[in-house]
Amino acid sequence: MTKPIILTGDRPTGKLHLGHYVGSLKNRVILQNEGKYDMFVFLADQQALTDHAKESEIIKESIGNVALDYLSVGLDPTKSTIFIQSQIPELAELTMYYMNLVSLARLERNPTVKTEIAQKGFGESIPTGFLVYPISQAADITAFKANFVPVGNDQKPMIEQTREIARSFNHTYKCNVLVEPEGIYPENEAAGRLPGLDGNAKMSKSLGNGIFLSDDADTVRKKVMSMYTDPNHIRVEDPGQLEGNMVFHYLDIFGREEDAATIAEMKEHYQRGGLGDVKTKRYLLDILERELAPIRERRLEYAKDMGEVFNMLKKGSKHAQSVAAQTLSEVKAAMGINYF
Ligand code: TRP
């Protein structure tokens, strides 16, 4: 019996943070452990190179870090195939064929690409590889005939474009080789975009406002103690505001059902006055550590043998390549370029 296929991944351009965790990693681990899917998770190093071509050393370092992030949150190589994009040349070859089915105007309209172009300040010098990365992402997804792609909300336009490419390919070559995937997005809209510790709308490495999955306990404590709360809540007895208060925002996201009553009580107390920020932060720290401590422990265990981690990636890549090669041969047959 074949299971539905899941494909997902991240650009290795640094370490993963809590925003990645609640936005998609957590979802993936749940899906993996349901055991109902054949799951592929990969490090999109070629996509990372599209805007880090001259800093390839960052990518090399990040491969190890993100692999550890994956293993430490509970992605399990005995259940999922974990692999590296650049080790599967079939993906680049598929990209080549798909490029002929997508117009330049369509690429320029992709909202995520548009935002990124503005953010990165490419000006007139947008690398061609960057502009076409949604096509390469379509290759990543379709090479595995993925039915589902669990990702953050920012990836919706990529899934949409992948669906268009799959449809266009099947239509153009009168076949049914490619599968149109569906995105799986965070259930909780708020978790889909975790704000930074400083209250900025987005947690990000470059803004320096995040908690990394690899942070040690002391670093996490310091970061939580520095979180943005209510600047007008000066004395403990002052009434405090919940709106824009990152401690309460995080409590809403990371609190579990059994914490709901305590959190509701704290909110009331805070607004009434008499509840200090140090107390709310200590409570949040406990809630976060409940999640982070086991992740940290697993990381330390895996990090003892990086050779084994890379071995796992090698094995995963080998398996992934055999799957992608099968799709590529079907693609070439559909196009009629299987000459011999
Ligand atoms: N675009 C994703 C990111 O920015 C990474 C990625 C590349 C991806 N190819 C993918 C995600 C295929 C899901 C499926 O992190």
Side-chain angles (χ1 to χ4, degrees):
M1 203 189 67
T2 64
K3 295 176 179 176
I5 296 166
I6 286 184
L7 179 287
T8 183
D10 298 277
R11 290 184 209 176
T13 55
K15 304 171 283 187
L16 300 183
H17 54 58
L18 271 184
H20 296 115
Y21 182 65
V22 290
S24 71
L25 291 177
K26 217 174 156 174
N27 236 345
R28 297 177 192 170
V29 176
I30 293 170
L31 291 165
Q32 166 192 273
N33 293 339
E34 281 174 9
K36 290 190 293 201
Y37 305 94
D38 191 3
M39 181 136 148
F40 293 84
V41 187
F42 81 114
L43 297 151
D45 60 340
Q46 288 178 318
Q47 190 175 110
L49 280 164
T50 65
D51 66 332
H52 285 74
K54 294 178 181 130
E55 305 148 296
S56 58
E57 71 290 347
I58 294 182
I59 290 155
K60 181 163 186 206
E61 189 190 313
S62 305
I63 288 277
N65 278 325
V66 177
L68 282 177
D69 287 329
Y70 280 173
L71 294 168
S72 61
V73 297
L75 288 176
D76 176 349
T78 67
K79 297 180 185 161
S80 299
T81 302
I82 308 177
F83 69 101
I84 306 179
Q85 186 183 32
S86 62
Q87 303 311 297
I88 323 293
E90 285 79 0
L91 300 178
E93 199 172 332
L94 286 171
T95 303
M96 189 88 214
Y97 301 131
Y98 297 169
M99 275 164 64
N100 303 323
L101 303 173
V102 182
S103 73
L104 185 56
R106 176 64 184 87
L107 283 170
E108 287 170 339
R109 262 200 323 271
N110 183 306
T112 301
V113 171
K114 246 176 155 165
T115 311
E116 282 183 285
I117 286 173
Q119 277 169 355
K120 292 174 198 295
F122 288 136
E124 293 296 298
S125 310
I126 306 167
T128 322
F130 185 83
L131 197 62
V132 303
Y133 93 68
I135 304 179
S136 123
Q137 187 154 341
D140 302 334
I141 296 169
T142 55
F144 299 93
K145 302 193 177 178
N147 304 95
F148 300 105
V149 186
V151 278
N153 292 318
D154 64 315
Q155 296 293 304
K156 277 183 189 165
M158 302 303 159
I159 307 299
E160 196 39 54
Q161 214 169 345
T162 300
R163 292 173 62 87
E164 277 175 39
I165 289 171
R167 214 176 305 143
S168 168
F169 184 92
N170 289 342
H171 179 80
T172 305
Y173 300 107
K174 300 184 179 44
C175 65
N176 207 9
V177 171
L178 300 184
V179 173
E180 282 186 47
E182 273 171 53
I184 300 180
Y185 306 103
E187 222 170 274
N188 175 345
E189 193 61 27
R193 206 184 46 179
L194 186 69
L197 301 169
D198 57 357
N200 190 296
K202 207 173 166 179
M203 180 173 283
S204 93
K205 180 175 52 99
S206 53
L207 294 172
N209 62 4
I211 292 178
F212 294 105
L213 295 173
S214 47
D215 281 345
D216 61 31
D218 197 44
T219 305
V220 174
R221 188 182 52 78
K222 284 188 184 131
K223 286 181 174 176
V224 168
M225 289 303 157
S226 78
M227 277 174 86
Y228 182 84
T229 58
D230 170 5
N232 297 317
H233 183 240
I234 298 167
R235 289 167 310 172
V236 171
E237 57 272 27
D238 291 339
Q241 263 214 41
L242 304 181
E243 216 185 290
N245 187 318
M246 289 304 110
V247 173
F248 286 101
H249 190 100
Y250 280 40
L251 282 175
D252 283 341
I253 291 175
F254 292 95
R256 296 181 190 164
E257 226 165 279
E258 69 257 33
D259 313 316
T262 310
I263 294 173
E265 207 276 310
M266 282 175 85
K267 283 182 176 171
E268 223 186 295
H269 193 176
Y270 194 78
Q271 287 175 295
R272 200 165 65 225
L275 180 59
D277 280 340
V278 174
K279 278 207 179 130
T280 61
K281 285 175 172 174
R282 283 215 184 107
Y283 180 66
L284 173 62
L285 186 59
D286 286 345
I287 300 264
L288 290 180
E289 279 296 325
R290 180 175 63 191
E291 208 104 11
L292 289 172
I295 293 176
R296 194 177 296 128
E297 262 167 51
R298 263 196 300 260
R299 169 183 292 268
L300 289 175
E301 216 31 61
Y302 282 112
K304 283 184 192 156
D305 192 352
M306 286 310 285
E308 196 38 54
V309 171
F310 277 90
N311 223 355
M312 175 281 288
L313 291 170
K314 188 173 168 187
K315 264 197 233 154
S317 299
K318 200 169 162 218
H319 172 60
Q321 185 173 14
S322 68
V323 177
Q326 172 61 31
T327 304
L328 178 63
S329 82
E330 292 170 27
V331 158
K332 289 169 86 169
M335 295 172 73
I337 56 169
N338 52 340
Y339 306 113
F340 318 109

